[in-house]
Amino acid sequence: MPSIAPPLEHQLLPFVAFQGAFSTLAGFGALLVYADGGVAASVQYTAWMLGIAMLSILSPFVLGRALRLRGKRLVRLSFAVPAVALWWADGHPMLLALSTGGFLGWSWAARHWLELSVLKDAERDGYAAHVTVVTVVASLLATAVVAALLSLSDESPMAVYGSYAVLAAVASVWAARSLPTTPVMQMQRPLSVVQQSGFKACLPLYFLESGMLGIGMVLGAGGASQALGQVSHYGWVSVMATVVGAAALFALRRKRHNGNRVRWMGLACIGMASGHLLLGASVLHPGLYVLHLLLIACVQPFWSASEQVLNQRVMDLQGALADRIVVREVVLGIFRLLALGLFWLLIREWPPTQVLLVGTAMMASAAVLEWAIGRAWLRRAN
């Protein structure tokens, strides 16, 4: 009797867990760079990281046919590079940007390819809820381990870089073991996607969702540095926040389905906007930064699940799957770099407190606008 393949989320579980755990490097790395060089160094590092991520997510679809790239091989590659490079990242932000950006680009290229190749629309909400739980648990464990190592090593940056290098080495062997087999990753006619009116209608949503990513990283690092000081303190507060978020996610894990997408995104938007405003208010009292992390941790999984469903919905355009992924990710990368560059031109002469206040107000406004556009998309889908 032939064996029955497990559900997709079970096949992806090791990859999703390792991806969630390793992604926590972004917070620690951005804070270390900010602590060394301030706002300017943080903006420069973030720009390099986002640029490398954009090129990395594009490269498998450009070279996929020549290299016979599939999801499994790309997952291994996404972890193998930082497993080597991170050992020399202390004092070298470019190596950190290469490690983080390369990982984000390659791992998400593989994940988009796997998920969009297999999932049907009716399955997306349940799948998003399941993999979000796995991501939260894995990120909680990784953050706790790194925070403990920082405390034991007297805040040595190598406690961060070394631990993530070891994690990446293990993931390069284990993360792809159970992944489903997919076709070779290759582009066909990406310009045909750009010419569609449906794609052009996505552009405002893409800018709000992704254009604020780099700005949010800089603001998060600045807020943590001003409110908490030591990197290990950030780690322990993040652990506490993640536990709260995991509890909320567990309590509401069966409440979401494809009939209440709009309501869940609206509730999450209220929490995200309030969380951004608390980050800005933390210039008045450090305790507000803790409240910011707690609130964001509670609502971020639900906001991410809504964004994942929405992104997969707006990817339902005409054209080959690889073409749709490539066009979307290139546009997102351009928006990220453009928004970060404009933000830097605006704030480069400002004191850190003013940067935080204005930036977080922008982030809160962007979340509200994203919800308004997303609501229209999701209602039209239903």
Side-chain angles (χ1 to χ4, degrees), residues 27 70 93 100 119 170 208 213 231 254 307 309 325 354 370:
R70 302 177 190 273
T100 309
L119 282 178
V170 174
L208 292 169
L213 178 63
V231 180
R254 293 192 178 94
E307 285 190 326
V309 171
I325 293 175
Q354 187 177 356
E370 183 180 347

Side-chain angles (χ1 to χ4, degrees), residues 37 73 98 190 227 236 302 382:
R73 183 176 296 180
L98 173 65
W236 290 122
F302 303 103
N382 293 329

